[in-house]
Amino acid sequence: NAENLERLARDQLDAQKEEIDAIKARLKIAKNEDREADVAVLESDQKLAEGAKRLLEKRREMRRKEIDGWDTAARLAAATRKAAEFELELANARDQLRERGPHETGEGFRRLQRRVNEFEKRTLEAQKERAELRAKVAQKERDVVNSRLELLKTRSKIEAGG
């Protein structure tokens, strides 16, 4: 699930940071002991480890955006269900007004009209919320795609030796 993906990304990043710290410590010792061959290898290892760290950071950022997008999509699904329920209630209230309205007295008729008006209001508010969430879901999808592109750029740069 989303929490496990986040935990995994965090653990991988922490392990990578520890690896970089260990390489830096070995590099410092190699420099102090004038072991130039070891220094060159360790500097290369450090560069690779730091590239892997950048990649893990980008992947973690992407996962966070994906999780945020999933949460927003779930809220959209709930809002869609809610809007549909209100639309059904509104249709039922209108049916009652149409069927019983002509036979109702003044107060009974007004009560049916108020019920229709209330469900119309709730339906429109739910539809508005659904529309706003649709826009948010679309933005979250763009954010995820942009994050994936950044991850790809970072990976390509690392593979090219940068």
Side-chain angles (χ1 to χ4, degrees):
N1 66 21
E3 292 170 0
N4 288 340
L5 287 174
E6 174 65 22
R7 191 176 311 112
L8 178 63
R10 185 183 58 241
D11 291 346
Q12 288 174 334
L13 190 56
D14 289 343
Q16 192 64 34
K17 287 176 183 178
E18 289 175 13
E19 182 179 339
I20 290 170
D21 289 342
I23 291 170
K24 285 180 180 179
R26 290 195 314 269
L27 180 60
K28 183 177 180 182
I29 292 169
K31 284 181 178 179
N32 286 339
E33 295 176 358
D34 284 331
R35 297 187 328 236
E36 291 182 26
D38 288 342
V39 168
V41 169
L42 289 168
E43 284 176 343
S44 176
D45 288 350
Q46 181 180 353
K47 186 176 178 182
L48 288 172
E50 287 173 350
K53 178 184 162 215
R54 284 194 312 276
L55 193 62
L56 288 170
E57 289 169 340
K58 294 287 185 186
R59 186 173 294 134
R60 183 178 184 192
E61 179 183 325
M62 181 189 70
R63 292 288 179 235
R64 286 181 177 160
K65 289 180 180 181
E66 286 175 337
I67 291 166
D68 192 29
W70 297 334
D71 290 343
T72 305
R75 289 184 14 235
L76 172 60
T80 299
R81 180 190 47 77
K82 181 177 160 185
E85 289 171 356
F86 282 136
E87 288 171 10
L88 183 59
E89 290 292 332
L90 175 60
N92 290 335
R94 284 180 175 156
D95 286 346
Q96 283 182 350
L97 180 62
R98 190 173 29 260
E99 292 170 7
R100 293 181 15 205
H103 308 295
E104 288 289 333
T105 60
E107 181 55 35
F109 182 73
R110 284 190 296 278
R111 188 173 42 252
L112 288 172
Q113 281 184 318
R114 282 193 304 271
R115 188 165 184 263
V116 167
N117 287 342
E118 181 60 28
F119 279 118
E120 247 182 314
K121 178 183 175 203
R122 288 181 181 185
T123 299
L124 290 170
E125 288 170 348
Q127 289 171 342
K128 179 182 175 185
E129 179 184 4
R130 181 180 61 197
E132 290 169 353
L133 283 168
R134 279 183 181 151
K136 286 182 182 179
V137 166
Q139 181 59 52
K140 300 295 180 187
E141 288 175 355
R142 282 190 295 275
D143 291 346
V144 167
V145 169
N146 286 336
S147 185
R148 288 177 180 162
L149 285 170
E150 284 298 315
L151 179 66
L152 179 63
K153 286 180 192 175
T154 301
R155 193 172 64 220
S156 296
K157 185 176 178 183
I158 290 167
E159 289 170 355

